[in-house]
Amino acid sequence: MTDGTPSPFSNYARGSFFCEIFGGDSDNAHHTEMLRGRLGSMPVSELVRRSETAARELYNLGITFTVYSDQDMIDRILPFDVIPRVISADDWEKLEAGVVQRVTALNLFIADLYGPQKILADGVLPADLILSNANFRREMVDVQIPHGSWVNVCGIDLVRDREGAFKVLEDNARTPSGVSYVVENRQMMRRTFPDLMDEIGIREVTAYGLKLLEAVSELAAPSVLDPHVVLLSPGVFNSAYFEHVFLAREMGVPLVEGNDLVVEADDRVYMRTTAGLVPVHAIYRRIDDAFLDPEVFREDSLLGVPGIMRAYRKGNVGLANAIGTGCVDDKAVYAYMPRVIRYYLDQDPILDNVETHICREPEGLRYTLDNLDSLVVKPVGESGGYGIVIGPKASAEELEEVRAQLIADPANFISQPMIDLSVSPTLIDGEVEPRHVDLRPFAVTGKSTWVLPGGLTRVAMRRGSLIVNSSQGGGSKDTWVLTQ
């Protein structure tokens, strides 16, 4: 800086990690030059001032998530970092193609699992991995889904390694959350940092609500010319309730809870209104399968709609996502996805998986037990970063505990090498420091698949941490996909 004030990047050191702003050893990140120049000429005090303004706005707008701790529920603002993450047009072209390929394969996979089950008969993956999965819903066998679109909203978690290559870490095919932060982060940046964004070609994210509405509407019966769509929420005590409110507004549809809907004798769904019953043709649901219909699943559920499964099986109402998609939303099934893609599409994966050892298989268990101190061990059914043991950072006691768990129930675990996640400059206590990030692009599928440009960049706010989940203290950034 010319006035003697040090640049925000004066003490920034990415170490040996790939940096989302500065690149890697052989990558000079030319696509971020304009942003780097603008940030480099801005005093840190100005970054801090605008960051504080953004935090106040988030609080005033009620943009929160809920952390459950024992019997307490704590509403928190998701920490927002004001230094954006930038993805080049070339990188995005590959990412977008890879996400579409993966979602296409997932939909073909699920349709087969609830149909002829050819992939199981051909031994591509163990049949019991699916058939004994708690999220495999036998009630969905032979149910026909419009356009074969079982996974209407999919979040594919990606990480970037030391060489700058993107790899798939996880598939979220049930009810992926976080897209509201993608849109709100962009609005926040436009309000607080318009000078950073000026004349930088950045792809828009504001179309998400309309794209989601379009895809959900396509699930309605073909005879319905103007489908009535609603968003079904468990209610205000759900951790993602802010997002439910946000998406209903973005889609322009009513936000309802289970007791707002009723299934009549004609096996059709109606919404209760002050003017009487109004037909509902398609539902974007944010309620898990188990709580959706007490006539079929959990009898004690007060969140769902009795009889909705009857209406669904008869094609009188569409549901996004379809019931039963959770059987592929599993870290053990994830390990087989490269084979699944080749089986259904006869293509190599555009985006590779992270190397994965399947502990239900003797070779995978043996390798994991022999290399515990260098691997990341994950329970297959957990989400939110819970239950993960990072070998190189674990204590001897933690390693022995996970060893005992592996021996007792190997099918519940996978292991992966510790990936040197890429870092991004992040404002921490008045200093710009590197923090590890991941990326969750959101794919919306009806008759075709559309990918939201960019997605949710989650940030591990604690120094050295690899856990980016909001429930574990992570934050988020605006993600810029450049137009050229």
Side-chain angles (χ1 to χ4, degrees):
M1 297 180 64
T2 57
D3 61 358
T5 305
S7 162
F9 298 127
S10 296
N11 298 316
Y12 180 78
R14 65 175 178 85
S16 59
F17 303 106
F18 186 93
C19 177
E20 297 294 335
I21 296 294
F22 290 92
D25 293 336
S26 58
D27 185 338
N28 294 320
H30 296 295
H31 63 287
T32 67
E33 285 179 353
M34 186 179 293
L35 175 64
R36 277 183 281 154
R38 291 176 179 178
L39 283 170
S41 63
M42 185 177 292
V44 174
S45 58
E46 179 64 8
L47 278 177
V48 171
R49 184 188 69 79
R50 299 197 203 186
S51 178
E52 291 171 347
T53 298
R56 284 195 300 271
E57 282 202 42
L58 290 170
Y59 178 82
N60 292 334
L61 290 169
I63 301 174
T64 63
F65 68 99
T66 305
V67 175
Y68 299 98
S69 176
D70 298 323
Q71 296 180 346
D72 297 325
M73 292 185 298
I74 305 169
D75 282 333
R76 294 181 180 172
I77 295 171
L78 185 70
F80 172 62
D81 182 63
V82 295
I83 303 176
R85 188 242 194 99
V86 185
I87 299 175
S88 71
D90 288 343
D91 278 345
W92 180 250
E93 183 178 6
K94 179 178 179 179
L95 286 178
E96 183 178 40
V99 169
V100 170
Q101 180 194 57
R102 201 164 179 104
V103 171
T104 301
L106 281 169
N107 277 306
L108 292 170
F109 184 25
I110 300 171
D112 185 19
L113 294 177
Y114 290 111
Q117 298 184 345
K118 288 183 59 179
I119 195 169
L120 303 184
D122 289 343
V124 176
L125 72 167
D128 71 292
L129 186 64
I130 298 296
L131 302 181
S132 65
N133 190 303
N135 292 302
F136 183 76
R137 306 294 181 189
R138 285 170 173 76
E139 299 84 355
M140 292 300 295
V141 171
D142 294 330
V143 173
Q144 298 302 307
I145 301 298
H147 321 297
S149 178
W150 290 72
V151 183
N152 310 100
V153 180
C154 192
I156 306 293
D157 288 351
L158 305 170
V159 294
R160 206 170 198 180
D161 65 16
R162 188 185 293 263
E163 284 71 43
F166 283 99
K167 295 182 181 295
V168 179
L169 187 65
E170 191 170 298
D171 301 299
N172 296 278
R174 275 179 285 185
T175 50
S177 62
V179 73
S180 56
Y181 300 113
V182 178
V183 182
E184 289 288 4
N185 287 352
R186 178 61 53 82
Q187 302 299 340
M188 187 63 64
M189 286 298 292
R190 289 204 181 282
R191 289 193 293 271
T192 54
F193 286 90
D195 47 340
L196 283 187
M197 306 179 75
D198 188 37
E199 296 183 356
I200 294 180
I202 304 168
R203 292 187 59 177
E204 282 295 336
V205 298
T206 52
Y208 184 85
L210 292 177
K211 291 290 186 180
L212 179 57
L213 176 62
E214 180 182 317
V216 177
S217 297
E218 289 172 354
L219 301 177
S223 59
V224 178
L225 300 180
D226 187 17
H228 184 214
V229 176
V230 299
L231 192 156
L232 177 60
S233 169
V236 68
F237 294 111
N238 184 266
S239 63
Y241 186 70
F242 158 75
E243 179 156 291
H244 305 167
V245 175
F246 173 88
L247 287 174
R249 185 180 73 238
E250 292 290 299
M251 295 171 72
V253 304
L255 177 66
V256 300
E257 297 179 25
N259 57 11
D260 295 317
L261 302 179
V262 61
V263 178
E264 292 287 270
D266 60 358
D267 291 333
R268 296 181 185 276
V269 181
Y270 295 86
M271 180 175 70
R272 294 185 172 100
T273 75
T274 55
L277 296 180
V278 174
V280 173
H281 306 109
I283 300 172
Y284 177 41
R285 56 153 181 142
R286 295 295 293 257
I287 294 179
D288 289 344
D289 291 353
F291 298 95
L292 192 59
D293 187 343
E295 290 185 1
V296 178
F297 304 116
R298 285 186 55 159
E299 295 180 2
D300 61 343
S301 173
L302 300 177
L303 301 176
V305 184
I308 197 170
M309 191 67 183
R310 285 185 278 114
Y312 186 47
R313 288 182 64 93
K314 290 185 176 181
N316 292 334
V317 69
L319 294 176
N321 287 347
I323 295 170
T325 59
C327 66
V328 302
D329 193 343
D330 179 291
K331 294 180 178 65
V333 176
Y334 151 91
Y336 292 93
M337 277 304 296
R339 304 180 203 177
V340 169
I341 291 169
R342 293 186 180 98
Y343 182 82
Y344 291 109
L345 301 179
D346 195 24
Q347 300 170 359
D348 288 331
I350 296 170
L351 298 172
D352 291 329
N353 273 19
V354 173
E355 177 190 342
T356 302
H357 307 285
I358 304 165
C359 297
R360 71 191 329 271
E361 298 178 350
E363 184 178 346
L365 176 62
R366 185 166 52 251
Y367 183 89
T368 300
L369 292 173
D370 289 346
N371 297 276
L372 264 184
D373 59 352
S374 63
L375 296 171
V376 179
V377 179
K378 300 178 179 181
V380 298
E382 292 283 0
S383 61
Y386 293 106
I388 294 175
V389 176
I390 301 174
K393 299 190 176 187
S395 66
E397 291 78 12
E398 289 171 325
L399 290 177
E400 285 310 305
E401 183 178 345
V402 76
R403 181 182 297 277
Q405 292 173 352
L406 281 162
I407 293 171
D409 186 14
N412 190 43
F413 295 93
I414 62 165
S415 69
Q416 297 170 327
M418 192 172 83
I419 300 295
D420 290 329
L421 302 189
S422 64
V423 295
S424 188
T426 305
L427 186 63
I428 304 289
D429 297 330
E431 298 285 340
V432 175
E433 300 181 358
R435 288 294 186 272
H436 293 293
V437 295
D438 77 349
L439 178 67
R440 177 179 288 180
F442 291 87
V444 176
T445 303
K447 294 179 181 178
S448 60
T449 297
W450 173 82
V451 185
L452 178 68
L456 178 65
T457 289
R458 298 182 296 180
V459 190
M461 301 299 284
R462 290 192 281 265
R463 180 178 295 168
S465 174
L466 298 172
I467 306 296
V468 300
N469 305 78
S470 57
S471 55
Q472 303 289 304
S476 71
K477 290 174 173 282
D478 191 13
T479 307
W480 295 1
V481 173
L482 301 185
T483 57
Q484 59 183 9

